[in-house]
Amino acid sequence: MSDLEVRKLPFNFDGVEFDWHPGNQPFGMMMNAVTFQVIGFEHYMCKAMRDAEKFITNPAILAEARAFNAQEMVHSQAHKKHIKALLTRYPGLQEVLDGSVARYDELYKNEDLHFHLAYAANIEATFTPLFGTIIEHREALFGGGDPRITALMLWHFCEEIEHRSSAITVYNHVVGSRFYRMKQLGKVLRHIKSDVEAIHAGFAKHVPGAPTCGTKGAFARIPAWPTFRMIAGIIGSQMPWHNPERGHVPAYYKAWRSRYEGGADMTSEHLLAHNPVPA
Ligand SMILES: [Fe+2]
Ligand SMILES: [Fe+2]
């Protein structure tokens, strides 16, 4: 059972800028796309987990699936708050959200439960290498950006690392075939890619003057070796024998957790270091 905790943080995004990180726009836009994508994606996974419950015969795994869902639903609520703040100035962004949710609903209708659980297990497995690297380079990536969005993302990424084994545990119990999961990867990535591209196209359509960088260059400030390690970790996460529990957990996670447990305000994270964009 994951050592996970459902934390409802009192985020307030009133007046937040769409371009909340002008010093690192590619990364800022990537994080905006995360906000819009996680609503449909996390609902999709939660539906799959709920539908999987009747096939779970182990009480500890059932508890894991339910705890996972509880944590993911709180993530969605916080990102919805972020979107709500953006909608006050850019109401057309509702179409971007609706489009992404519809693509996930469509996928849920068109594929079976085994596919949905493979989708969740595959993508969740990438999060420890992906978000772990982002966390370890947080000063370079988030430094100088709006501290509220920084806090939102770091909270979410820490909790993704916290429940890193949940989706794969449920998949292994209900589906079992480790090779089936790997075989679905192409379809999973195509779906994610088309959703991300549609979200960025929606930003360009509905936000006048929005940076048009998409995700290109989002990781430009991560040096070559950690970037290589992150990519190797993401590829390794798709192997049939992969066990996310053994993934590297950044020291920041523990520090973040102790700050939370000590009653600190976790809704605003000031990372002031700011590395200039490499020439
Ligand atoms: Fe999440
Ligand atoms: Fe997750």
Side-chain angles (χ1 to χ4, degrees), residues 4-13 66-79 81 151-152 155-156 159 162 256 259-261 263-268:
L4 70 81
E5 185 178 345
V6 177
R7 306 173 183 89
K8 289 189 181 178
L9 303 182
F11 289 110
N12 182 338
F13 301 113
R66 288 178 176 166
F68 170 87
N69 269 15
Q71 209 174 43
E72 295 292 24
M73 292 321 291
V74 175
H75 295 166
S76 278
Q77 286 162 12
H79 286 278
K81 258 192 184 177
L152 168 72
W155 158 72
H156 192 166
E159 293 198 347
E162 198 168 64
W256 183 94
R259 267 166 53 214
Y260 169 81
E261 283 161 3
D265 173 13
M266 307 304 287
T267 62
S268 183

Side-chain angles (χ1 to χ4, degrees), residues 42 72 75 124 156 160 163:
E42 291 186 341
E72 295 292 24
H75 295 166
E124 289 275 320
H156 192 166
E160 287 301 322
H163 72 224

Side-chain angles (χ1 to χ4, degrees), residues 44-203:
Y44 169 81
M45 288 194 297
C46 289
K47 263 194 284 183
M49 287 288 181
R50 274 196 301 272
D51 285 349
E53 283 189 9
K54 54 182 170 290
F55 302 106
I56 299 176
T57 52
N58 177 324
I61 296 176
L62 185 61
E64 179 85 32
R66 288 178 176 166
F68 170 87
N69 269 15
Q71 209 174 43
E72 295 292 24
M73 292 321 291
V74 175
H75 295 166
S76 278
Q77 286 162 12
H79 286 278
K80 273 184 192 159
K81 258 192 184 177
H82 179 198
I83 293 174
K84 204 173 158 206
L86 296 173
L87 286 175
T88 59
R89 278 174 60 198
Y90 308 107
L93 287 174
Q94 183 67 47
E95 193 183 299
V96 181
L97 176 63
D98 294 345
S100 177
V101 169
R103 278 184 289 281
Y104 275 101
D105 286 346
E106 194 64 18
L107 187 68
Y108 206 82
K109 256 196 317 200
N110 294 340
E111 301 288 343
D112 63 10
L113 182 62
H114 284 200
F115 176 84
H116 306 320
L117 294 176
Y119 192 118
N122 281 340
I123 298 306
E124 289 275 320
T126 67
F127 288 166
T128 301
L130 175 63
F131 296 153
T133 306
I134 291 176
I135 286 172
E136 285 183 332
H137 295 84
R138 61 194 175 278
E139 303 271 350
L141 295 171
F142 287 102
D146 188 310
R148 296 168 296 170
I149 305 301
T150 302
L152 168 72
M153 296 298 168
L154 289 173
W155 158 72
H156 192 166
F157 297 165
C158 279
E159 293 198 347
E160 287 301 322
I161 289 175
E162 198 168 64
H163 72 224
R164 63 193 175 279
S165 299
S166 305
I168 217 159
T169 300
V170 173
Y171 172 87
N172 286 341
H173 181 73
V174 174
V175 184
S177 165
R178 290 159 195 254
F179 287 97
Y180 172 80
R181 178 170 73 81
M182 207 166 85
K183 260 171 56 189
Q184 304 314 312
L185 185 61
K187 205 191 274 183
V188 170
L189 293 180
R190 279 194 297 280
H191 184 267
I192 290 263
K193 186 169 179 281
S194 67
D195 191 50
V196 170
E197 285 171 356
I199 289 170
H200 283 287
F203 290 167

